Amino acid sequence: MKPLQLHIIGLTKTFNNLSKGKYLQYFVPGILVAFIFWHVFVILGTAESSVSFLNDIPLIGSILEYVLGGAFGIIKFIVTQLFIFFVLTLLSPFNTLLSEKVAFDLTGIKHKFDFERLLSDIVRMIFIVTIAIILQLFFFLVYFVISSILGLGIFDEAVYFIISSFFYGFAFFDYSLERDQIGVIGSLKYAFSNILLVSLTGAFFLILYKIGSFFVGSLSFSFLSIFPNIGIIVAPVLTTILATYVYILNKQETNDRTKK
């Protein structure tokens, strides 16, 4: 079965189960973390607004405001990345439990979960995400150099999205790979052997995240603006469910082909 077909089946199963009220409790941890980071962004926004008076300073006012505006932009970017890092690492035990619940519902196979494994999952996911970030930055750098030399700037945004999709997808597939006791190196081999499969899942995560960011941003002057980024709340849960379905269905199909 082709990767796109697997994702269509996976998405159908995901939303069918959610419509029945299944797995909804797994959204709670993300909501709590999101509100914490939302308060951080409120503080940053207040601080950024408080320096607007600098523009009234003769000669250097506009320069100071520009520099500080850039600094706040960098800080917000770092906080956003930390937010995603927290969701993918510190919340990994919840995502692991979710993935195992989905796998159990699909296969009937129960996996043991204890405190030792809880710590192991956090350490492993921190390691996985760190490797993914380093590799992602490396590929970004390689493409940046090539793009600068060949003048491929028109493709930059699309290429960066594709690269990011692959590594985010890799992180979400790792819950299932870890459950099958596949090591970090083995997980990387799986990801690079199933680039399209993994990238489609990662693209689903990024699209949800970006839609959530746009939605909240467009409501900046409404009552609903009190809510944190909707995308980063729902995206990890939905992507974990989707990645689990896609992984298991792909595994079952591969095993069936091997037996023939």
Side-chain angles (χ1 to χ4, degrees):
M1 198 177 300
K2 295 180 180 180
L4 184 58
Q5 290 177 299
L6 287 172
H7 279 80
I8 291 173
I9 294 172
L11 284 172
T12 301
K13 289 180 176 292
T14 296
F15 288 109
N16 278 344
N17 281 311
L18 289 173
S19 67
K20 298 174 183 176
K22 296 184 69 172
Y23 315 131
L24 296 181
Q25 66 271 28
Y26 292 97
F27 287 101
V28 175
I31 292 173
L32 296 177
V33 173
F35 269 102
I36 293 173
F37 275 85
W38 174 73
H39 282 292
V40 174
F41 274 102
V42 169
I43 293 171
L44 286 173
T46 302
E48 187 175 10
S49 299
S50 67
V51 299
S52 60
F53 71 91
L54 292 174
N55 194 43
D56 296 328
I57 299 176
L59 300 177
I60 63 171
S62 59
I63 297 175
L64 288 174
E65 187 177 31
Y66 176 79
V67 171
L68 286 175
F72 275 111
I74 293 173
I75 293 172
K76 287 180 179 178
F77 174 79
I78 292 173
V79 171
T80 299
Q81 298 310 307
L82 284 174
F83 187 9
I84 296 175
F85 184 81
F86 266 63
V87 169
L88 294 181
T89 55
L90 296 186
L91 297 186
S92 63
F94 297 101
N95 292 334
T96 298
L97 286 171
L98 171 58
S99 182
E100 290 185 354
K101 173 62 177 171
V102 173
F104 174 73
D105 290 342
L106 188 60
T107 66
I109 300 174
K110 185 77 173 177
H111 291 81
K112 182 182 177 182
F113 192 86
D114 52 31
F115 183 72
E116 182 179 350
R117 189 178 166 201
L118 174 78
L119 294 177
S120 175
D121 283 344
I122 294 175
V123 172
R124 176 185 169 106
M125 185 50 68
I126 290 175
F127 189 50
I128 287 289
V129 173
T130 301
I131 290 176
I133 290 173
I134 292 172
L135 289 175
Q136 182 178 341
L137 291 175
F138 171 74
F139 282 105
F140 277 170
L141 179 61
V142 171
Y143 173 76
F144 174 76
V145 172
I146 294 174
S147 176
S148 299
I149 295 173
L150 301 180
L152 303 177
I154 191 174
F155 301 109
D156 286 359
E157 189 171 346
V159 173
Y160 291 145
F161 179 84
I162 292 171
I163 293 173
S164 297
S165 294
F166 172 75
F167 287 106
Y168 279 120
F170 165 56
F172 283 102
F173 267 85
D174 190 64
Y175 298 121
S176 296
L177 292 163
E178 190 275 337
R179 188 170 56 251
D180 280 353
Q181 298 183 330
I182 297 174
V184 174
I185 300 300
S187 295
L188 282 168
K189 288 181 179 178
Y190 177 90
F192 280 102
S193 298
N194 297 273
I195 292 177
L196 182 56
L197 194 74
V198 172
S199 297
L200 282 174
T201 300
F204 175 75
F205 170 78
L206 283 176
I207 290 171
L208 279 181
Y209 173 68
K210 290 181 182 296
I211 288 175
S213 299
F214 174 79
F215 179 70
V216 172
S218 66
L219 298 172
S220 57
F221 296 101
S222 72
F223 172 75
L224 291 176
S225 65
I226 65 172
F227 291 100
N229 188 310
I230 295 173
I232 199 61
I233 294 174
V234 303
V237 176
L238 295 180
T239 310
T240 297
I241 298 172
L242 174 62
T244 304
Y245 278 133
V246 171
Y247 175 82
I248 292 174
L249 292 171
N250 185 55
K251 180 181 176 182
Q252 289 175 343
E253 183 184 305
T254 302
N255 289 339
D256 290 340
R257 284 201 307 266
T258 302
K259 291 177 182 178
K260 291 182 180 179

